[in-house]
Amino acid sequence: MIDVIVAGGGPTGLMLACELRLHGVHVVVLERDAEPAAHVRALGLHARSVEVMAQRGLLDRFLENGRKFEVGGFFAAIDKPWPDRLDSAHAYVLGIPQPVTERLLNERALELGAEIRRGVAVTGLSQNEEGVTVELAEGTRLRSRYLVGCDGGRSTVRKLIGVAFPGEPTRVETLLGEMEVGVPAEEVAAVVAEVRKTQKRFGLGSFGGEVYRVVVPADGVAVDRTVPPTFEEFKKQLRATAGTDFGVHSPRWLSRFGDATRQAERYRSGRVLLAGDAAHIHPPTGGQGLNLGVQDAFNLGWKLAAEIGGWAPEGLLDSYETERHAVAADVLDNTRAQMELMSTEPGAQAVRRLVAELMDFEEVNRYLIEKITAIGVRYDFGEGHELLGRRMRDVQLKRGRLYELMHGGRGLLLDQTGRLSVEGWADRVDHVVDVSEELDVPAVLLRPDGHVAWAGEDQQDLLAHLPKWFGTAAG
């Protein structure tokens, strides 16, 4: 009996495997593709995902393979400067191609003892009170206590458990590909700058040398969107949009994506859960998709491990859906809004100009970037301190930084008073007595995902909150 089978070996599934293994959970990742994808769909990590990597001791690996950016233009491609005073010690975008992100997470999952099987597709499943039976394309079966579908927007797992995926179908389609360009970089830059004055769904970005990532509006919506565009179709759309095809040749990869916006009605059906694109799809505006999935996994991992470990309080696993469904719904709404603002229609352009004026107010600009980067997320934990439900940023302590103490994926009581205790929960919660000039509350209790579960200084009040997130005291 496997503890958890993860269907899908993309960033969401691999992040989840890493989180589960921190708690000793026996996890098997099943990935349909025999080889990792070489093409680049997502281009980077936003601030909250950077924080996630720092919390687990992975950030140095990512920084070695990426590049920091503090540039605006993430909200509907409205060109405004990166805002000041973002509430994060990692207030930047890390440019790093998706295949590199997947490689680093794959390496970490293997280091932690996860089993990853490639070229294995899930074709069927059944479940009872004890576990889930997973049927594979090769004709064999596996048995696990839980199954998590991280298998993308066309999720087989979601379909097999009959979870509805309501929303809007694709109305606007965009072509995406990697290819070589036959004209000088200066000419490319000049044409792109001119076209993007009105058409924000267009761009050519160099990977170095003559290879470019090319994005261009499609001519309508394909009947079968699983079929990639032809190279001739690509060149035709470049000429129609930019007046030139830039002498493109030697395509490495061609695809299409739409603006469909859908969300699973529920994220859990018995012992089967959904995360990442299996739970929600939306246009790629703002670069939120990969980040949203990684953050789903970060929320789910410790809760599922607690359930398997036998110490999860009632309702903890269901809080995954409660918290993350609301976050994804907000992302779907902001991508809908961004797509409207990127339309070339006169009315949409008028609203875009108005929003651009509003973003000149620093507070508006900062609010929208905090939304895109997910550092503005606050879970609803009820009434309490203003920090309650928010993730704690990486504050400086006397002995180092906060996130350095969270690599093991446990809860943490940061106690500036030295008078508190987590006796009875020491197997689940670390007690750190230290002080920070950046923290103006006596103590905070952090969940393993870094969100503030309690703030204050009263021991009895702390004892009333510990069981909600960390179960019954031991002994």
Side-chain angles (χ1 to χ4, degrees):
M1 172 76 82
I2 300 164
D3 287 332
V4 179
I5 292 175
V6 176
T12 302
L14 292 170
M15 188 73 212
L16 180 59
C18 291
E19 288 296 289
L20 292 170
R21 284 302 303 155
L22 285 178
H23 299 275
V25 174
H26 178 201
V27 58
V28 175
V29 178
L30 306 178
E31 168 52 47
R32 177 186 57 200
D33 294 337
E35 298 294 334
H39 51 265
V40 179
R41 284 197 174 275
L43 293 170
L45 300 181
H46 280 310
R48 179 54 188 147
S49 294
V50 172
E51 290 183 340
V52 164
M53 301 311 167
Q55 283 177 252
R56 293 301 181 256
L58 298 175
L59 184 53
D60 285 347
R61 303 186 191 194
F62 279 81
L63 291 177
E64 289 171 2
N65 289 273
R67 181 181 174 191
K68 294 181 182 181
F69 292 94
E70 292 182 7
V71 293
F74 280 99
F75 187 80
I78 295 174
D79 188 18
K80 298 296 177 181
W82 187 256
D84 295 328
R85 305 192 313 277
L86 281 182
D87 182 34
S88 176
H90 306 277
Y92 52 85
V93 176
L94 183 64
I96 185 169
Q98 181 170 334
V100 179
T101 293
E102 292 186 9
R103 174 175 61 80
L104 294 174
L105 290 176
N106 189 87
E107 289 172 357
R108 180 56 174 160
L110 291 174
E111 287 173 9
L112 292 170
E115 183 180 347
I116 301 174
R117 304 182 188 178
R118 301 197 65 89
V120 180
V122 174
T123 57
L125 66 87
S126 59
Q127 62 173 312
N128 57 25
E129 293 182 358
E130 285 73 44
V132 185
T133 300
V134 177
E135 300 173 14
L136 308 180
E138 62 196 37
T140 59
R141 295 182 178 183
L142 297 174
R143 183 77 170 159
S144 63
R145 297 173 68 182
Y146 287 90
L147 168 68
V148 185
C150 303
D151 52 341
R154 297 185 176 93
S155 171
T156 298
V157 171
R158 186 188 66 240
K159 294 171 184 175
L160 288 171
I161 59 176
V163 169
F165 204 41
E168 306 90 54
T170 287
R171 299 171 301 163
V172 175
E173 190 170 88
T174 307
L175 307 184
L176 170 65
E178 295 173 13
M179 60 201 70
E180 294 186 28
V181 169
V183 299
E186 297 77 15
E187 182 178 336
V188 172
V191 174
V192 169
E194 183 63 28
V195 174
R196 282 185 60 81
K197 289 179 180 178
T198 54
Q199 179 51 267
K200 303 300 182 181
R201 294 189 298 116
F202 172 81
L204 283 81
S206 174
F207 284 126
E210 297 177 349
V211 180
Y212 279 72
R213 174 186 171 96
V214 182
V215 184
V216 63
D219 182 14
V221 177
V223 175
D224 184 355
R225 300 192 54 257
T226 64
V227 178
T230 65
F231 192 44
E232 285 304 316
E233 182 182 352
F234 226 110
K235 292 195 290 185
K236 175 185 174 184
Q237 289 309 112
L238 283 172
R239 291 191 293 268
T241 304
T244 174
D245 63 12
F246 301 95
V248 292
H249 61 94
S250 307
R252 296 183 173 187
W253 168 68
L254 304 174
S255 69
R256 63 180 86 240
F257 64 86
D259 64 342
T261 308
R262 299 183 181 276
Q263 186 172 20
E265 281 192 338
R266 60 187 190 278
Y267 285 12
R268 181 184 179 189
S269 177
R271 289 179 172 268
V272 182
L273 299 105
L274 302 171
D277 288 354
H280 40 71
I281 58 171
H282 54 84
T285 44
Q288 299 169 90
L290 181 151
N291 293 273
L292 184 60
V294 165
Q295 293 156 30
D296 281 350
F298 202 57
N299 183 287
L300 174 59
W302 70 276
K303 297 174 180 178
L304 187 52
E307 191 73 27
I308 290 168
W311 59 263
E314 183 178 355
L316 180 67
L317 189 54
D318 287 331
S319 74
Y320 161 66
E321 176 179 324
T322 303
E323 294 171 3
R324 296 305 298 173
H325 195 283
V327 170
D330 186 69
V331 171
L332 265 61
D333 271 353
N334 83 55
T335 55
R336 287 183 179 106
Q338 289 183 77
M339 288 300 292
E340 292 297 324
L341 292 172
M342 293 170 74
S343 167
T344 57
E345 292 297 318
Q349 288 291 304
V351 177
R352 180 185 180 86
R353 289 190 290 272
L354 177 59
V355 172
E357 289 178 16
L358 292 173
M359 288 180 70
D360 286 333
F361 292 96
E362 195 271 341
E363 286 298 307
V364 175
N365 187 28
R366 183 159 60 88
Y367 173 81
L368 292 174
I369 294 301
E370 287 186 352
K371 182 181 287 290
I372 293 290
T373 60
I375 62 174
V377 168
R378 182 178 189 176
Y379 298 139
D380 183 6
F381 293 173
E383 296 296 321
H385 193 276
E386 64 179 4
L387 290 175
L388 195 64
R390 298 188 182 278
R391 94 280 177 267
M392 176 61 66
R393 64 192 179 94
D394 191 12
V395 298
Q396 180 68 50
L397 307 173
K398 276 196 172 181
R399 70 175 67 180
R401 301 205 70 93
L402 174 64
Y403 287 1
E404 295 171 357
L405 305 175
M406 304 189 73
H407 294 178
R410 292 159 51 87
L412 186 146
L413 175 66
L414 176 56
D415 177 9
Q416 298 196 101
T417 72
R419 301 190 302 269
L420 300 174
S421 171
V422 292
E423 185 178 357
W425 289 272
D427 59 331
R428 286 154 267 173
V429 181
D430 294 325
H431 183 193
V432 176
V433 178
D434 204 339
V435 295
S436 172
E437 295 181 358
E438 302 175 43
L439 191 60
D440 59 359
V441 65
V444 288
L445 176 66
L446 305 181
R447 306 190 317 182
D449 60 1
H451 282 259
V452 178
W454 172 85
E457 58 183 328
D458 182 77
Q459 178 67 35
Q460 293 305 310
D461 192 34
L462 171 62
L463 292 175
H465 283 79
L466 277 163
K468 177 181 179 181
W469 300 109
F470 298 102
T472 305

